[in-house]
Amino acid sequence: MQQSPLHSRHVELKARFLPFAGWEMPIQYEGIVAEHKAVRDAVGVFDISHMGELIVSGAEATSWLNTMLTNDVGSLRDGEGQYTLMLNESGGVIDDLILYREAEDRYFLVVNASKIAEDIDWLQKHCDGDVSLENQSESWGGLAVQGPASVEIWKTLRPDLDLPERNGIVRHEEGWIACRTGYTGEDGFELFDTNEAIGNWFDQFLEAGVTPCGLGARDTLRLEKCYPLNGSDLDEKHTPLEAGLGFFVKLEKEAVFTGRSSLIAQKKEGIPNRLAAIRMTGKAPPPRQGYEIRADTGNPIGELSSGSLSPSLGTGIGMAYLPAAFTKPGQEVVIVIRDREFPAVVVKKPFL
Amino acid sequence: MNVPDHLRYADSHEWIDPGSPDAALVGISDHAQAELTDVVYLELPEVGRTVSKGEAIAVVESVKAANDIYAPVSGEVVEVNDGLAEAPEPINEDPYGAGWMVKIKVSDSSELESLHDAGSYREHVS
């Protein structure tokens, strides 16, 4: 099990740990609800040192990435980033990631911890031309500072330096990288620095009053915003069109990306399943991943890919791939929890 | 960590008050509530249900996970703390008081003897 460069700090903060993608990461410190609220109302800091960082460089980096990823790499200018997906031939999702253009011949990719090895394999297998791929995941520690007060906090620590614009990236001459992105639906930024230096940033944020937050709150925050979690809401069996991520798939761009023809075929034939947002309607236990969903007629129609109590709404929420006919907002469904049926309803995304 | 001396404790962190075996209060320990954090939902058994020692009788859920609560002794459920189903916060705030979950009529008082006393429970969780 890999440990974060911040591990001893988490222990000192009395974090509870959880194995995640081969890493021993803090799931919570004070409590998921308190940490969730800190991010919605003020600012929290997450250890994201487990995330993967790749560098793609070379004269053909732009054109090659455009064949490997669904979003339009060509639309990025230096210092800009975009959410994008890497698909297999049948259009299933291998990984979802953020791609930042540092220069025309140099890109910084932030990928899911659980997919680093797979991503590298897939990319290397398809690598050709003047392109080189470097896995820097072992060299970077990372923090996500998230919440409406995150920029204010940054200004107190580094008044000399502005954060990049939304989705943007800045690489400072001191060596660290700041990206204006996150996974909570709040304003915020992600900071990457060496394993040795990341602890000092973490200490500074805590001293400035930022609440340390674990992966538990990260999960509830992203679920309220319907951001998919790879491995749960995204997998190789479902396309980004089924996941509702069509906005990040540019079928019309010049480059032909892997999976494109499958997506076009699926679009033509009709999208069979859609990732729906589901909310419990009455008093019910929190819905959880794997719970069966039934139509109001009692027929099983799917299972939850994610589920939790929503700390902001105080009710159970979840997502599930359901046959398209059942995914209109207002559709009543039933969630089976310990052999009992609880009423729920499909709602418009996001929950919050 | 609070471990009252007058209670008995199961390995699985339930406490029972041996002082009134006809309607012995049962809940979860301070240690257990701290480990669970933020209880958001409690599912209680039916009154009148006969339970065996070690049988799952309730489910307590945090934001992250569902956890079974086991009968520390055999007997009959004679009362449940219905208020907790509406508002489970006392399980965290007052686990030995307002956070009690069920009352069990103990069928075999020798089972109480087999549970941890406070000293032994402290060692169990340390």
Side-chain angles (χ1 to χ4, degrees):
Chain A
M1 194 81 72
Q2 267 184 285
Q3 287 184 347
S4 152
L6 304 173
H7 189 82
S8 61
R9 288 171 168 86
H10 300 319
V11 171
E12 237 170 84
L13 289 165
K14 298 194 165 58
R16 282 152 219 280
F17 292 91
L18 165 100
F20 181 83
W23 289 72
E24 187 180 8
M25 295 300 287
I27 181 165
Q28 58 178 355
Y29 307 84
E30 187 74 32
I32 292 174
V33 174
E35 293 162 27
H36 180 105
K37 289 187 169 155
V39 171
R40 286 276 180 260
D41 299 340
V43 53
V45 58
F46 301 82
D47 182 358
I48 56 164
S49 299
H50 58 304
M51 306 264 325
E53 297 84 11
L54 317 181
I55 296 281
V56 171
S57 57
E60 292 176 73
T62 303
S63 55
W64 178 70
L65 281 170
N66 228 353
T67 65
M68 298 305 299
L69 302 168
T70 60
N71 210 333
D72 185 7
V73 182
S75 70
L76 292 175
R77 288 172 295 186
D78 291 354
E80 293 180 344
Q82 66 187 191
Y83 178 75
T84 188
L85 297 123
M86 190 160 78
L87 308 183
N88 61 23
E89 295 291 350
S90 55
V93 176
I94 295 172
D95 204 2
D96 63 331
L97 58 130
I98 313 257
L99 172 77
Y100 301 96
R101 172 166 147 158
E102 294 195 74
E104 196 187 350
D105 59 354
R106 187 182 170 85
Y107 290 84
F108 184 66
L109 288 69
V110 179
V111 306
N112 282 297
S114 57
K115 294 288 174 175
I116 297 170
E118 241 178 284
D119 290 351
I120 294 278
D121 276 358
W122 180 258
L123 289 168
Q124 250 156 11
K125 214 168 82 184
H126 293 85
C127 207
D128 65 25
D130 185 1
V131 175
S132 70
L133 174 67
E134 190 187 345
N135 179 8
Q136 296 191 341
S137 303
E138 298 292 320
S139 329
W140 294 101
L143 297 173
V145 180
Q146 301 280 299
S150 52
V151 175
E152 223 170 284
I153 288 289
W154 176 258
K155 282 181 179 156
T156 63
L157 294 185
R158 293 304 293 258
D160 54 319
L161 287 166
D162 284 339
L163 286 168
E165 297 290 305
R166 188 174 160 73
N167 292 335
I169 183 170
V170 163
R171 187 188 285 260
H172 193 267
E173 58 193 15
E174 290 166 11
W176 47 266
I177 290 173
C179 304
R180 192 74 170 271
T181 37
Y183 193 42
T184 63
E186 302 298 331
D187 193 6
F189 56 93
E190 293 176 330
L191 199 67
F192 301 94
D193 205 338
T194 61
N195 290 319
E196 295 70 40
I198 200 72
N200 183 41
W201 285 108
F202 188 69
D203 296 343
Q204 286 185 60
F205 289 124
L206 293 196
E207 276 161 33
V210 180
T211 304
C213 299
L215 293 183
R218 192 165 161 83
D219 192 50
T220 53
L221 287 157
R222 68 92 193 168
L223 184 56
E224 286 182 347
K225 298 289 179 183
C226 290
Y227 296 158
L229 172 65
N230 198 359
S232 297
D233 312 301
L234 299 178
D235 57 37
E236 299 207 21
K237 291 191 204 88
H238 293 97
T239 71
L241 304 181
E242 291 173 283
L245 300 173
F247 179 78
F248 308 100
V249 177
K250 307 297 189 211
L251 293 172
E252 306 310 322
K253 72 180 181 182
E254 212 173 298
V256 174
F257 61 88
T258 310
R260 178 175 179 268
S261 55
S262 302
L263 297 189
I264 288 172
Q266 187 179 61
K267 220 172 166 175
K268 205 169 144 194
E269 286 158 22
I271 292 161
N273 300 293
R274 287 183 186 276
L275 187 63
I278 300 170
R279 182 174 172 162
M280 307 307 291
T281 46
K283 179 85 186 161
R288 301 190 189 280
Q289 186 181 43
Y291 286 1
E292 183 180 298
I293 300 162
R294 294 178 185 160
D296 39 9
T297 55
N299 294 333
I301 52 171
E303 62 177 49
L304 289 171
S305 53
S306 286
S308 176
L309 179 94
S310 156
S312 300
L313 301 171
T315 57
I317 59 172
M319 294 200 287
Y321 284 99
L322 300 179
F326 290 95
T327 56
K328 293 212 172 60
Q331 171 70 46
E332 287 177 13
V333 296
V334 160
I335 310 233
V336 184
I337 306 176
R338 295 185 284 275
D339 297 327
R340 284 167 60 200
E341 293 189 337
F342 291 88
V345 64
V346 173
V347 298
K348 194 172 176 294
K349 293 191 221 176
F351 295 101
L352 193 73
Chain B
M1 184 186 47
N2 184 7
V3 182
D5 284 331
H6 69 288
L7 301 176
R8 292 275 171 163
Y9 302 86
D11 279 348
S12 48
H13 308 291
E14 295 82 7
W15 60 261
I16 182 166
D17 185 346
S20 47
D22 282 344
L25 287 163
V26 172
I28 61 167
S29 71
D30 186 36
H31 171 79
Q33 72 75 23
E35 284 296 311
L36 284 171
T37 72
D38 298 336
V39 173
V40 296
Y41 191 86
L42 176 67
E43 197 166 288
L44 290 163
E46 301 272 320
V47 171
R49 179 169 148 193
T50 303
V51 299
S52 307
K53 178 177 171 162
E55 183 181 329
I57 54 167
V59 181
V60 62
E61 301 212 36
S62 64
V63 174
K64 205 64 207 164
N67 301 271
D68 284 327
I69 304 297
Y70 302 98
V73 296
S74 306
E76 181 192 336
V77 176
V78 293
E79 196 180 333
V80 298
N81 190 354
D82 277 326
L84 293 182
E86 286 309 310
E89 291 80 7
I91 296 168
N92 291 119
E93 291 160 3
D94 188 10
Y96 299 113
W100 70 273
M101 293 177 181
V102 299
K103 288 183 190 173
I104 292 181
K105 183 178 181 185
V106 180
S107 60
D108 175 1
S109 55
S110 73
E111 285 182 353
L112 289 167
E113 298 305 311
S114 69
L115 296 168
H116 292 286
D117 62 19
S120 147
Y121 182 68
R122 276 188 205 103
E123 276 174 40
H124 174 61
V125 295
S126 65

